[in-house]
Amino acid sequence: MQEIVGESLARRLVEWGVDTVFGLPGDGINGLMEGFRRHRDKLRFVLVHHEEAAAFMATGYAKATGRLGVCAATSGPGAIHLLNGLYDAKLDHVPVLAITGMQETSVLGSHYQQEVHTTHLYQDVAAYNLMVTNPQQMPAVVDLAIRNALGKRTVAHLTFPNDLQVAPIGEDPYRHVSPGTPPKSAANMAYPRLSPDPEEIARAAEVLRQGSRIAMLVGVGARGAREEVLAVAEALASPIVKTLPGKQVVPDDHPLTTGGLGLLGTRPSEELMEECDTLLMVGTSYPYGKYLPSPGQARVVQIDVDPSLIGMRLPVTAGVCSDARLALRHLLSLVDRRTDRSFLEKYQRKMGEWRADMASLRDPRRHPIAPQYLMGCIDEAAADDAILTCDSGTIATWSARHWTIRGDREYYLSGNLATMAPGLPYAIAIQHAYPNRQVIAFVGDGGFAMLMAEFLTAVRNELPIKVVVNNNNAYGQILWEQIILGYPEYAVRHLRPEADFGAWARACGAYGVKVTDPKDLPGAIAEALAHPGPALVDCDVNADEPPMPGKVRYEQAKHFTEAFLRGQPRKVATLASVARDKINELRS
């Protein structure tokens, strides 16, 4: 059988170590699907219900494995649907290859059905972005696309006109030859390990030696460097602050960490940023400048594998372009262990108080169920190597503060894009990658409803994911943003009837339960986690529970009060929740 372009694509993906493609077929990629079919023994195609989910799955797969994620969609609307998930990959710096279809070359420019020029559409999201127009471009352009995605940790895109997909790979209408550059092994899938420049690392060590109140801010770029991060922090007597995507870098119960930063972070971390005179940033270009030290307050050392990110947020005294693990190892050999531990011990005491405050909010007596208690039940019951995926919204606050990284636990969400709906697709993709690990999607009712058909994907693929829906029947984060900005709430709560996603799960042939009584919650979570197949717990939680910042600022409190004085429709219930939380904190 003569090899066609679609088959050449599939074969080259396999040679690069790709084993999974997430997507949805259509007549715009039938030739590519034929290529995937011919290599189905080595290349698994995961059929989804919506192309947006396919892109999220590819992104989640790349985040969890460090390997290339691949998604495919048909021409026109299918390609358009991929974009939200692809922007998630771009903004969180993970390698994803998007493959789309295009109308036949003979009709391009004739306003043909579904003629959407995806190379124009993807111009902003993809670092490598090409429409293949000659079979002889294969497989070189596949190599270039993958190398760009991996080397730049971003999105690459290839689109194939219908007639090109089924053209024999040997055809050469233009008599041009583009030789391929085949990968030597699957090791090429790994990110490059850049060693630090000796002068840069020496300068960084000198800045750190001069500091007296040192703080570390670590991000997902330090993933895989846990031992080195802890060793440097111990030597410098420095508390460790973690970005949300970098939550898994250091265990949450470790005495050196003060947890997260920002609206979803902790009070000790925010106070630490206000007091430190030296900041060591590792693997992060944390975007929320108002939570970082004031200009001129602290000298900054920044370590990042991407030189374009160094100095993006704060003026940097010493920048080190390097892999985090290698840079920290070199740094450790150049700094001495500090004998004065008073600054660190001060924040360890503050963190002890914060942990007690957070524990007090996981109150099993509260009704409606406190979302903190829901997350606490998951945290207590989950395995020490469990992987939690999360959507954006108030649920990110509950998971950031009440999902404890310990052992080999991991945590994934949409970091910089902060989009709704990736939690479920992430879980499906990660369960594919790690079939023997416990994968839990912690999602809101709003985000789950957007792509809930993908729960059927999990059932049909016999993936034992666990889904827990934090159901407040509202877009909770938007509600609180309205209040903080000083607006009365508007159009953020759903009308009755309230959803029963447990019934949906059972209709799909999976375990499903609805929980409204806090006494039933621990048992329902335990049963779902023990169930051998897909399982879903739909938990009704207090819709008026505010995701309060770690440290409430004057302007936030002022706007909150003004909004209530203008007539918040549920101000009694909300104030009751706030008061109850404060009483519980004081009791602890």
Side-chain angles (χ1 to χ4, degrees):
M1 184 183 297
Q2 190 174 32
E3 184 177 65
I4 59 174
V5 168
E7 185 177 3
S8 175
L9 168 66
R11 178 170 53 79
R12 201 56 158 190
L13 291 176
V14 171
E15 290 172 357
W16 272 96
V18 174
D19 58 15
T20 306
V21 177
F22 304 95
L24 183 61
D27 60 0
I29 56 169
N30 279 340
L32 302 183
M33 293 301 300
E34 172 62 13
F36 297 154
R37 185 192 66 81
R38 294 184 186 182
H39 287 270
R40 62 187 179 278
D41 57 328
K42 297 179 181 178
L43 191 64
R44 174 176 50 193
F45 186 85
V46 178
L47 176 64
V48 304
H49 288 83
H50 195 288
E51 292 91 354
E52 182 180 4
F56 279 138
M57 290 178 193
T59 302
Y61 182 94
K63 286 183 177 183
T65 65
R67 300 171 61 199
L68 181 73
V70 182
C71 56
T74 190
S75 55
I80 295 170
H81 286 160
L82 290 176
L83 280 173
N84 197 37
L86 295 179
Y87 270 102
D88 184 28
K90 176 184 177 178
L91 269 61
D92 282 356
H93 307 288
V94 293
V96 169
L97 172 63
I99 302 167
T100 64
M102 177 63 66
Q103 278 63 34
E104 294 182 358
T105 55
S106 60
V107 300
L108 291 178
S110 66
H111 302 289
Y112 201 74
Q113 183 186 35
Q114 294 187 342
E115 185 182 345
V116 174
H117 290 266
T118 50
T119 50
H120 296 171
L121 185 70
Y122 282 42
Q123 189 170 345
D124 178 59
V125 76
Y128 187 87
N129 182 24
L130 181 73
M131 181 173 72
V132 180
T133 56
N134 186 334
Q136 289 293 300
Q137 292 175 275
M138 303 290 291
V141 293
V142 180
D143 295 337
L144 288 168
I146 293 176
R147 291 185 193 280
N148 271 269
L150 289 172
K152 298 175 182 177
R153 294 185 294 177
T154 190
V155 175
H157 169 239
L158 292 173
T159 188
F160 294 83
N162 270 333
D163 50 334
L164 261 292
Q165 296 173 30
V166 296
I169 196 64
E171 280 192 4
D172 187 8
Y174 306 115
R175 300 289 184 261
H176 292 156
V177 178
S178 179
T181 52
K184 294 179 180 178
S185 70
N188 282 314
M189 302 299 288
Y191 297 146
R193 299 295 182 189
L194 300 179
S195 296
D197 179 273
E199 292 185 5
E200 290 182 353
I201 207 74
R203 174 63 175 158
E206 179 61 26
V207 173
L208 293 171
R209 279 194 294 268
Q210 294 172 5
S212 59
R213 301 186 304 278
I214 303 175
M216 287 182 69
L217 176 62
V218 300
V220 71
R223 180 188 178 193
R226 176 180 291 183
E227 292 182 7
E228 290 77 10
V229 168
L230 292 173
V232 170
E234 174 64 29
L236 297 174
S238 167
I240 301 169
V241 179
K242 303 185 294 180
T243 68
L244 193 56
K247 179 177 172 66
Q248 61 191 290
V249 172
V250 175
D252 282 309
D253 54 2
H254 198 282
L256 287 173
T257 187
T258 58
L261 184 65
L263 285 174
L264 281 61
T266 71
R267 183 171 57 251
S269 288
E270 192 165 344
E271 292 175 350
L272 176 61
M273 289 293 117
E274 294 170 352
E275 188 177 359
C276 69
D277 65 11
T278 308
L279 178 63
L280 172 56
M281 300 175 66
V282 184
T284 180
S285 55
Y286 185 78
Y288 307 108
K290 67 180 180 180
Y291 292 103
L292 295 174
S294 302
Q297 170 198 323
R299 304 178 80 196
V300 178
V301 174
Q302 186 174 356
I303 299 170
D304 205 291
V305 73
D306 185 348
S308 70
L309 300 179
I310 295 177
M312 177 180 288
R313 307 300 176 196
L314 288 171
V316 169
T317 308
V320 180
C321 181
S322 171
D323 170 75
R325 178 185 288 180
L326 296 179
L328 291 173
R329 285 179 179 174
H330 283 79
L331 198 58
L332 191 60
S333 67
L334 298 176
V335 295
D336 298 323
R337 187 181 188 278
R338 302 215 164 196
T339 56
D340 182 358
R341 323 292 284 181
S342 58
F343 186 66
L344 171 61
E345 290 167 355
K346 173 183 177 179
Y347 279 92
Q348 287 175 328
R349 290 191 296 271
K350 288 176 176 285
M351 196 58 192
E353 296 169 358
W354 173 266
R355 289 186 176 111
D357 288 346
M358 292 300 100
S360 70
L361 300 179
R362 298 193 290 268
D363 187 349
R365 298 165 299 179
R366 289 174 55 183
H367 195 283
I369 297 170
Q372 299 96 325
Y373 179 56
L374 170 59
M375 188 69 251
C377 288
I378 299 169
D379 185 58
E380 291 178 8
D384 281 351
D385 68 345
I387 300 172
L388 186 80
T389 67
C390 186
D391 272 356
S392 299
T394 55
I395 48 171
T397 301
W398 316 135
S399 62
R401 292 176 177 170
H402 300 278
W403 171 251
T404 305
I405 296 295
R406 61 173 183 264
D408 295 321
R409 283 186 174 183
E410 297 179 43
Y411 176 76
Y412 298 100
L413 80 171
S414 175
N416 288 301
L417 186 60
T419 181
M420 294 178 66
L424 176 61
Y426 277 13
I428 291 171
I430 294 171
Q431 191 75 82
H432 266 291
Y434 300 111
N436 297 319
R437 291 181 68 176
Q438 190 179 73
V439 181
I440 306 166
F442 181 58
V443 297
D445 56 293
F448 180 74
M450 288 181 174
L451 293 173
M452 61 188 287
E454 301 308 332
F455 189 76
L456 267 172
T457 301
V459 174
R460 288 166 174 161
N461 284 271
E462 300 180 343
L463 295 171
I465 64 167
K466 316 304 175 190
V467 179
V468 181
V469 182
N470 181 89
N471 194 340
N472 57 15
N473 203 41
Y475 295 103
Q477 188 69 34
I478 302 170
L479 162 67
W480 292 105
E481 287 168 349
Q482 288 181 357
I483 293 176
I484 292 298
L485 290 171
Y487 307 139
E489 68 173 79
Y490 177 69
V492 291
R493 300 185 195 261
H494 289 293
L495 303 175
R496 293 184 180 276
E498 296 182 359
D500 183 350
F501 296 113
W504 160 250
R506 293 192 300 274
C508 293
Y511 174 95
V513 64
K514 179 79 165 178
V515 178
T516 58
D517 191 323
K519 296 192 297 294
D520 299 331
L521 186 57
I525 295 294
E527 285 183 15
L529 294 180
H531 185 72
L536 183 147
V537 176
D538 181 10
C539 181
D540 286 353
V541 299
N542 184 4
D544 299 303
E545 183 73 18
M548 300 297 285
K551 185 176 181 180
V552 179
R553 297 167 184 264
Y554 170 76
E555 284 300 319
Q556 292 170 327
K558 176 174 176 285
H559 288 155
F560 186 91
T561 303
E562 289 175 347
F564 270 78
L565 292 176
R566 286 209 301 268
Q568 279 296 336
R570 297 172 65 93
K571 59 185 175 183
V572 175
T574 304
L575 286 174
S577 295
V578 174
R580 192 162 48 223
D581 286 349
K582 184 53 63 179
I583 290 170
N584 284 338
E585 288 179 20
L586 295 174
R587 282 175 176 168
S588 63

